[in-house]
Amino acid sequence: MGETLKTQTSGTEGIRGTGATRGGKDGRGGLGNVLSGVAVAVGFVLFLGAFAWGAFTYRPYTVPTDSMMPTVNPGDRVIAQRIDGGQVRRGDVVVFTDHAWSDSPMVKRVVAVGGDTVKCCGAGGRLTVNGKELDEPYLEHALPEGAPANSAAVPASDTPFEVTVPEGNLFLLGDQRAASLDSRSHLQEAGQGTVPRSAVQARVDALAWPTVKMLERPATYASLPGGISRPGPLRLQAAAVVAGAALVLLGAAYGPLVRVLRRGRRREPAGAR
């Protein structure tokens, strides 16, 4: 009988020990383990799903030239959203390939679309679209070296032009107007330097390296018909990646954290004695 009682007592203790390890005396540990597992699973889904979504909607490019300074510097890595040419709006920085210009993808800013009359220069040396002067904050309006401080502002283009853009086409300029080979370099060709919308492959949404920042849509184009484009889902995708990583780390840390706390509780009585 004594041996039987010992066996039963030992079995009971074993069951209690397992319960304490898994769920604690009140079962909250078991629920915590379940929730941590759910957090890890949801975190993985968010993390991997956002990366897959990003790979489907965006493509990285490296810009080798200085034609888009100061917006994009030589060697900068940019993130561009894959879009249809019909989604392009004035002010967008786009990646396009036009074999009349080059066999390689190029990066320029759209300043006029089909039906627009774009001209340089208006009063104060500014670019005009349909008679509206554009305030182009993305340009470097630095005066030439040695020029007096009271000199007139540097014009938006050192090449005067006036072009009515054919329907379905785009007029593109680099932000570094003095160094950019853009629509102005092809004014004598068919289309007067404009490029078909179908040539556009992507729209630059952000700089990824060495600077990390979103490209803002220039407000100067907002009052023109069609307005400006809306940012792509890059911010949402980045937030999902961060949230997913946080959930994975928190869920994975739950078990070790609980074990550390339990060890601390077991040591407290010994310390009190």
Side-chain angles (χ1 to χ4, degrees):
M1 289 292 292
E3 290 180 359
T4 302
L5 288 173
K6 287 179 181 178
T7 303
Q8 290 174 344
T9 302
S10 174
T12 302
E13 288 177 349
I15 293 171
R16 286 178 180 173
T18 303
T21 302
R22 291 181 181 175
K25 291 181 179 180
D26 56 4
R28 285 180 294 178
L31 178 61
N33 288 333
V34 171
L35 292 177
S36 68
V38 171
V40 170
V42 172
F44 269 119
V45 170
L46 278 175
F47 188 83
L48 297 177
F51 264 113
W53 183 18
F56 179 76
T57 55
Y58 284 92
R59 180 178 174 182
Y61 293 89
T62 300
V63 180
T65 69
D66 62 354
S67 68
M68 282 299 296
M69 289 181 62
T71 305
V72 183
N73 294 311
D76 279 359
R77 193 83 164 171
V78 302
I79 302 296
Q81 183 185 5
R82 304 171 196 263
I83 62 168
D84 181 83
Q87 298 173 263
V88 175
R89 299 291 182 270
R90 302 176 192 86
D92 288 345
V93 176
V94 298
V95 179
F96 66 98
T97 302
D98 189 299
H99 297 294
W101 292 31
S102 171
D103 289 330
S104 301
M106 303 184 73
V107 180
K108 303 293 178 189
R109 187 182 297 275
V110 177
V111 298
V113 300
D116 288 342
T117 296
V118 56
K119 178 181 178 181
C120 195
C121 294
R126 292 185 174 185
L127 198 70
T128 68
V129 173
N130 302 331
K132 171 183 168 59
E133 289 190 358
L134 301 181
D135 177 18
E136 300 183 274
Y138 43 79
L139 298 183
E140 274 188 325
H141 288 294
L143 296 174
E145 187 176 350
N150 60 353
S151 298
V154 177
S157 172
D158 54 8
T159 302
F161 61 86
E162 182 173 357
V163 173
T164 297
V165 183
E167 290 294 338
N169 283 22
L170 307 168
F171 195 87
L172 304 113
L173 298 176
D175 287 356
Q176 175 97 326
R177 299 284 162 81
S180 177
L181 296 177
D182 45 40
S183 289
R184 297 169 299 168
S185 302
H186 302 271
L187 292 173
Q188 306 306 317
E189 299 173 8
Q192 292 185 280
T194 62
V195 170
R197 283 182 177 269
S198 58
V200 174
Q201 301 163 264
R203 175 172 52 217
V204 177
D205 252 7
L207 303 182
W209 188 89
T211 304
V212 179
K213 69 174 184 179
M214 298 292 293
L215 287 191
E216 300 297 329
R217 271 44 174 182
T220 190
Y221 297 95
S223 61
L224 293 169
I228 54 179
S229 63
R230 300 181 63 181
L234 187 59
R235 290 183 191 272
L236 180 59
Q237 292 167 353
V241 168
V242 172
L247 284 173
V248 170
L249 291 175
L250 289 173
Y254 173 79
L257 181 60
V258 168
R259 285 194 291 272
V260 169
L261 293 174
R262 282 177 179 165
R263 287 172 189 166
R265 290 174 183 171
R266 288 172 187 168
R267 290 172 185 170
E268 283 178 4
R273 291 175 187 174

